Amino acid sequence: MKKENNKKYWILALFAFVTLDGALIQARGALVPTWKETFTTSETFLGLITPVGTVGFVAAMVVFGSASGRIDIKRALLAGIAVTAAAALLIGASPTFLLLLAFIGLRGFGTGIFRSLDRTVLSHLYPERRARIFSLHTMAWAIGATAGPLLVTAALWLSGWQLTYLVLALPLVPIFVILWGLDRPATLANEQSLSLADVRDLLGEPGIYGMALALLFVGSIESVFFQWLPYYATELFSRDVANLTLSIYLAAYVPGRFAFSRLAERYRFTDLVVAVGVILVGSLYAMLVLAEGLVVLGLVFVIGFFVSGLFPTLISMGIESRPSFTGPINVVANVAAQTGFFIAPATVGIVADATSIGTAMLLQIGLAVVLTIVALGLKVGPLGSRRSTASE
């Protein structure tokens, strides 16, 4: 295959998979109210859905992402697609909540294999435009994520929630076929794996440890919305409108990530994160405490717009500190964010069981406050004078 076509089809395969990944994750969030009724379980056990998926995802990230310079990346990506497709079908066939959790964990592992390596390929294909290509890549995820809750609504109307996973598994087949026929990008020869000796060195970089600390709170905020927003919204709106709130939140990721793909090339990473943190504190307080009716939906969009830019901005900050360690830094970033995914939704479930979902969601304001404090610390520290310029 010609070099330019090979590059084009790599982009097609990577972006198509991440789009379906977004749909799979957010379909899960939209199905929480349905699963509560289907399997007759409590908020505490529902709170395990995201952590179980996170365990599988992080396990794959650590194993495959840290070995990005040693393994056959194309073969690993193909394995990730195959496991994800099989797990999606099994989720749709789950007869019990326990099996549902097990297959969600398997789906997380399959997706984690792929996602531990996709940014590695993108980083080496576009070494001079990492911040922008990462934002566009996550924008593709957002498009799929927006469609996920809408697909759930359609599946429930046409047949049942199981149809959701059949529809999402089938498109993985042509992605597998496309990737099978591609040549490995030659620039991946520059990729290095992570050894124990490298860990202390990497984590000593301000751009990397700052990225990891901030992403812990970003992952917490995102994961609570992903799992609990539709459930919270059922206290305010009808079931259909409640599912729509998650689509509104995720739809904001599309223009948000496009905007941040430009902003990250013009402003310091730390300046962007501080500004977003301040906006989020005010917006979350307004949404969860002050607003009613349609104003809530408008604030959901605003919050989604600004949250959307945090992950690609922060991971670009980390990777530009040590570009030859793209895969390992991607692991650090995702483990940090997924730690938030592991802790925050389960905590909200426990608090909701003890009080109410409205009270539990107030934890989001505290998370935004801490994120802002972390960002301010990075801004006045060693990262305050660094601009977002890429280098290989």
Side-chain angles (χ1 to χ4, degrees), residues 98-150:
L98 184 60
L99 283 173
L100 179 79
L101 288 177
F103 296 141
I104 285 173
L106 180 63
R107 202 282 305 168
F109 186 82
T111 302
I113 296 173
F114 195 98
R115 299 305 311 277
S116 69
L117 299 166
D118 57 356
R119 286 192 183 91
T120 301
V121 178
L122 289 172
S123 178
H124 290 283
L125 287 175
Y126 294 93
E128 303 302 324
R129 291 188 290 163
R130 286 191 185 89
R132 185 175 183 187
I133 200 69
F134 287 167
S135 288
L136 294 176
H137 183 236
T138 51
M139 187 177 77
W141 180 93
I143 292 171
T146 303
L150 300 177

Side-chain angles (χ1 to χ4, degrees), residues 58-344:
V58 170
M61 273 276 170
V62 171
V63 171
F64 290 88
S66 60
S68 59
R70 296 192 299 268
I71 62 175
D72 185 327
I73 288 181
K74 176 183 165 181
R75 185 175 296 176
L77 292 172
L78 289 169
I81 297 172
V83 174
T84 300
L89 293 173
L90 289 169
I91 291 171
S94 299
T96 67
F97 187 70
L98 184 60
L99 283 173
L100 179 79
L101 288 177
F103 296 141
I104 285 173
L106 180 63
R107 202 282 305 168
F109 186 82
T111 302
I113 296 173
F114 195 98
R115 299 305 311 277
S116 69
L117 299 166
D118 57 356
R119 286 192 183 91
T120 301
V121 178
L122 289 172
S123 178
H124 290 283
L125 287 175
Y126 294 93
E128 303 302 324
R129 291 188 290 163
R130 286 191 185 89
R132 185 175 183 187
I133 200 69
F134 287 167
S135 288
L136 294 176
H137 183 236
T138 51
M139 187 177 77
W141 180 93
I143 292 171
T146 303
L150 300 177
L151 178 59
V152 168
T153 300
L156 291 173
W157 182 72
L158 290 171
S159 174
W161 66 267
Q162 296 86 348
L163 179 62
T164 306
Y165 287 93
L166 175 62
V167 170
L168 291 174
L170 291 177
L172 291 167
V173 176
I175 298 174
F176 185 96
V177 173
I178 290 171
L179 191 57
W180 182 276
L182 295 178
D183 296 324
R184 183 178 185 270
T187 50
L188 286 177
N190 297 326
E191 180 66 16
Q192 298 183 42
S193 296
L194 185 66
S195 66
L196 291 176
D198 296 321
V199 173
R200 180 177 297 180
D201 185 35
L202 284 179
L203 293 180
E205 286 277 353
I208 296 173
Y209 69 69
M211 169 199 74
L213 185 58
L215 283 176
L216 171 64
F217 298 101
V218 173
S220 296
I221 293 169
E222 284 194 310
S223 62
V224 170
F225 275 123
F226 291 168
Q227 174 157 334
W228 290 110
L229 182 59
Y231 190 84
Y232 167 75
T234 57
E235 302 290 314
L236 308 174
F237 307 104
S238 68
R239 175 66 61 85
D240 288 342
V241 175
N243 274 347
L244 185 61
T245 59
L246 185 56
S247 286
I248 290 171
Y249 173 80
L250 292 163
Y253 273 47
V254 179
R257 284 183 164 165
F258 180 79
F260 276 86
S261 72
R262 300 303 181 95
L263 292 171
E265 293 181 333
R266 299 181 183 179
Y267 300 99
R268 284 190 288 265
F269 295 126
T270 50
D271 289 346
L272 287 176
V273 179
V274 169
V276 170
V278 171
I279 292 169
L280 286 179
V281 172
S283 300
L284 284 165
Y285 182 82
M287 174 197 157
L288 297 170
V289 178
L290 303 177
E292 296 180 355
L294 294 178
V295 177
V296 173
L297 301 182
L299 287 167
V300 165
F301 186 90
V302 170
I303 292 166
F305 181 93
F306 286 101
V307 169
S308 72
L310 289 171
F311 189 91
T313 298
L314 287 164
I315 197 170
S316 296
M317 180 178 77
I319 288 175
E320 290 189 9
S321 297
R322 298 289 292 272
S324 61
F325 283 92
T326 298
I329 293 170
N330 188 41
V331 173
V332 172
N334 279 279
V335 168
Q338 293 297 317
T339 300
F341 271 66
F342 185 82
I343 297 171

